[in-house]
Amino acid sequence: ETKGMLWPSKLALLSAVPRPFLWLGPEGGQVAEEARRAGHHPWAVGDAAGLAAGGETLIGGPGTPVSLDVDKLRADRRAALDRWVNLVEAAAG
C-alpha cells in the first residue's frame, strides 16, 4: 500500500534544494533516477569506493556544506523558530 510513497513524502523537497545530495540505494529505482535527473549523486549499495570518490569530489565545491555560513544559518533558524512561536501564540491567543 505504501509502494511509491517514499519519494514524494521524503525526498521531493530535497531534490529542489540547490545543494547536492547523496543517494545510496537501488540503482534502478525511482529515487536514483530522479537524483540523476536533478544532477545529484546516486550510488548502489555496496559501492563504497564510488561513494568515497564522489564525496571527495563534492567536498569544497560550490554549494557544499564546507562553504556554508554557519552564523547566517543559525540566525535564519532562530528567526524561523521565532515566527513559528508567534504564529502558535497568536492562534492560541
Side-chain angles (χ1 to χ4, degrees):
E1 291 181 26
T2 61
K3 185 175 181 177
M5 296 179 75
L6 172 69
W7 175 251
S9 67
K10 304 296 181 196
L11 297 173
L13 291 176
L14 185 58
S15 71
V17 173
R19 303 243 184 262
F21 73 80
L22 305 177
W23 168 253
L24 182 60
E27 283 187 285
Q30 181 184 2
V31 175
E33 179 58 34
E34 291 291 332
R36 276 187 213 91
R37 195 173 323 162
H40 299 291
H41 308 277
W43 282 276
V45 173
D47 184 8
L51 180 61
E56 287 179 358
T57 301
L58 294 174
I59 292 174
T64 61
V66 173
S67 66
L68 293 177
D69 181 346
V70 175
D71 291 331
K72 181 179 181 326
L73 289 173
R74 285 185 180 136
D76 290 348
R77 182 176 56 191
R78 184 71 215 168
L81 179 59
D82 290 342
R83 285 191 301 273
W84 273 108
V85 168
N86 291 337
L87 180 66
V88 169
E89 287 175 347

